[in-house]
Amino acid sequence: DTVPQNFLHLPDGSVRLVDWDYAGRGWASFELASFCATAQLDGPLREVLLTAYAGGGTAAQVATIDLLAFVAAMREVAWALMATPKLKGTTTLLEGWSYEKYLEDNLALARELEARSDLEAKFELACAEKNRSW
C-alpha cells in the first residue's frame, strides 16, 4: 500500500514500506501511479520519481501512470468509504490526518483526473507502446 504515510524514513537514511495489505503480484505502473496520486506529485516530481525508479519513463509509460492515477484515486475512495464508518475518530500519528479528509481528498483527486481534457490522447499514447517494461 504505497500511500506516503506507509513509508518510514529511518535515521540511517533508508526508507521502509510498512503496510503490505495490497501485496501481491501486480503491475509496477499501478503502484507508481498510486504513489503519484496519493502523494499529489505534480509532473516534475513524478519525473523525479520515475527517474529514480527506472531512469525515466517513455511517453507511453507516463501516460499509463497518468491514467492509472485515476484508478488509484478511485480505489482509495472505495477503501475510505468502507473504512471511515468503522475507523472514524481513531488516532493516527499524522498531524491533521483523518479518514474523512482522506476520502474527501481522494474523491476530489478522482474528479480532477476524470475532468481532464486530454484523457483520450492519454489512452491512445498509453496503448501505442506494446512492450512496456513496467
Side-chain angles (χ1 to χ4, degrees):
D1 187 1
T2 57
V3 294
Q5 59 266 35
N6 288 339
F7 287 86
L8 298 178
H9 185 246
L10 301 178
D12 68 0
S14 64
V15 176
R16 297 288 186 262
L17 179 61
V18 296
D19 185 343
W20 295 90
D21 272 359
Y22 299 140
R25 191 171 173 97
W27 198 14
S29 292
F30 182 74
E31 296 302 330
L32 292 165
S34 177
F35 185 78
C36 288
T38 56
Q40 300 174 349
L41 300 186
D42 61 10
L45 286 175
R46 181 195 59 214
E47 192 167 322
V48 169
L49 174 67
L50 297 181
T51 299
Y53 177 74
T58 66
Q61 289 169 323
V62 171
T64 299
I65 287 171
D66 286 346
L67 293 168
L68 289 175
F70 170 75
V71 176
M74 288 304 298
R75 177 191 68 183
E76 295 305 313
V77 166
W79 179 87
L81 278 170
M82 181 267 320
T84 299
K86 179 131 179 102
L87 300 173
K88 181 179 181 178
T90 59
T91 59
T92 178
L93 297 176
L94 295 172
E95 183 72 32
W97 192 93
S98 72
Y99 290 96
E100 296 88 347
K101 179 87 168 86
Y102 191 71
L103 172 59
E104 287 175 26
D105 289 349
N106 279 285
L107 190 54
L109 176 61
R111 286 178 173 148
E112 176 187 321
L113 293 169
E114 187 272 332
R116 289 180 58 165
S117 62
D118 63 347
L119 282 183
E120 191 166 326
K122 295 271 184 200
F123 277 113
E124 289 179 23
L125 189 54
C127 293
E129 189 174 301
K130 300 299 181 205
N131 296 316
R132 291 184 294 272
S133 61
W134 33 273

